[in-house]
Amino acid sequence: MSAPLNPTGVSTCGSLYVVATPIGNLGDLSPRALETLGRVAAICAEDTRHTRQLLAHFGVEKPLQALHEHNEDEIAERLVARMLAGESLALVSDAGTPLVSDPGFRLVRAARAAGIKVSPVPGPSALIAALSVAGLPSDRFVFEGFLPAKAAARRERLAALSAETRTLVFYESSHRIEDTLADAVAALGAARGATLARELTKLFETVLDGTLEDLRARVAADVNQRKGEFVLLVHGAGEEADAKVIEGRRLYAKLSEHLSPSTAAKLAAELSGAPRKALYGG
Ligand code: SAM
């Protein structure tokens, strides 16, 4: 199948809009997302009940088509045929950006292969939201999605990542957060700097940072810190990941509010044990 053209050579087929939806706070649905959802012929949704509630909140009524990992291959072909016939469709997931640890890849691939325009309506994603507040190096990072559910496979994956120098980003659920933190301490080292972002944009939003061991102990000690949805970010391997450097940077940030940068760096280095040159510009 390929996109039909009218006599002037312009495509007559519809488009597929990949629309990001809130990860908690409904105020994060963009005006363009709302306008797009209101304009398309139908919305492909991971869980139609969940999306119906979102749409009801915004007063949008649209036919919904369930699209999840078990039916995506089969449904994608039918949806592509509808778009080739002229209908525009939107794709959403339960929360955040479709295709990011969510269904949609097969539909997008099939639409692109058929010459259909696939257009993003960007917005929330827990990955980027967490990275934006973690205070860990973000110029390069590795998104690992969910670690394997089985303990042996999870430990193997973490061990394979132990020498990775870029910031590591994982999605995690409340069922496994304790085990994942314990396994991360074992595989990546207790002193590795990390940030745990929980329930972002929601009532109980919490962003904890410290060493992996700090986070493990904090979550183990407080049942509330095990509730909700999590993004775990871990400093990459190497000198930068050293707990002393993290502490030194924290001290430097505080001291430099009152002292010159060089005096603040000298004091922060003395107090933390981190090399002075590692504290400038961090
Ligand atoms: N596509 C989504 C996105 O763009 O963020 C992610 C979908 S994935 C199935 C769901 C996972 O994302 C959760 O288990 C959690 O790890 C993370 N997540 C989603 N919402 C979150 C939030 N408000 N705060 C922290 N993590 C969240």
Side-chain angles (χ1 to χ4, degrees):
M1 279 187 286
S2 64
L5 303 177
N6 72 12
T8 59
V10 175
S11 168
T12 58
C13 72
S15 299
L16 175 64
Y17 295 96
V18 182
V19 181
T21 57
I23 58 169
N25 190 321
L26 294 181
D28 292 337
L29 188 79
S30 76
R32 192 159 85 87
L34 190 53
E35 182 270 322
T36 304
L37 295 174
R39 182 162 46 86
V40 291
I43 299 170
C44 313
E46 185 184 3
D47 176 339
T48 53
R49 274 176 313 174
H50 182 99
T51 297
R52 211 179 300 285
Q53 279 178 8
L54 176 78
L55 295 178
H57 177 87
F58 289 99
V60 173
E61 256 186 69
K62 265 307 139 177
L64 294 175
Q65 165 65 60
L67 179 123
H68 42 73
E69 61 174 304
H70 305 295
N71 75 352
E72 191 173 343
D73 272 331
E74 171 202 333
I75 295 280
E77 213 173 299
R78 267 192 267 155
L79 296 172
V80 164
R82 284 178 69 173
M83 291 186 277
L84 288 173
E87 283 185 335
S88 283
L89 302 176
L91 168 68
V92 299
S93 59
D94 285 356
T97 301
L99 279 82
V100 180
S101 292
D102 265 340
F105 153 69
R106 292 183 186 86
L107 174 62
V108 166
R109 182 175 57 182
R112 295 187 63 81
I116 291 163
K117 184 174 176 203
V118 182
S119 198
V121 182
S125 180
L127 154 68
I128 300 300
L131 194 66
S132 74
V133 295
L136 291 173
S138 52
D139 48 348
R140 292 199 181 93
F141 61 91
V142 184
F143 176 56
E144 279 285 319
F146 289 97
L147 282 161
K150 294 217 167 83
R154 183 168 61 238
R155 288 172 193 154
E156 204 174 303
R157 186 73 207 124
L158 284 165
L161 291 165
S162 62
E164 173 57 63
T165 55
R166 293 168 291 183
T167 294
L168 298 159
V169 189
F170 304 95
Y171 278 168
E172 198 46 276
S173 69
S174 54
H175 315 296
R176 277 195 286 274
I177 190 62
E178 242 189 309
D179 289 346
T180 289
L181 284 167
D183 289 343
V185 166
L188 308 176
R192 189 80 81 92
T195 301
L196 188 61
R198 182 174 78 93
E199 294 289 89
L200 292 174
T201 78
K202 302 186 202 175
L203 185 60
F204 295 108
E205 176 180 284
T206 315
V207 180
L208 301 176
D209 59 19
T211 64
L212 273 173
E213 175 53 25
D214 292 337
L215 296 181
R216 189 206 59 74
R218 181 87 192 267
V219 168
D222 182 353
V223 68
N224 287 324
Q225 295 303 328
R226 301 198 283 275
K227 291 181 182 159
E229 300 191 280
F230 300 84
V231 184
L232 172 65
L233 304 99
V234 185
H235 207 302
E239 183 225 359
E240 292 284 304
D242 196 285
K244 287 181 185 165
V245 176
I246 294 167
E247 176 61 3
R249 289 205 171 141
R250 191 184 68 78
L251 289 170
Y252 174 73
K254 209 71 208 140
L255 291 170
S256 60
E257 286 172 14
H258 307 285
L259 303 169
S260 73
S262 63
T263 310
K266 186 170 176 287
L267 264 179
E270 265 175 41
L271 291 169
S272 65
R276 189 173 151 182
K277 68 173 169 28
L279 308 182
Y280 275 117

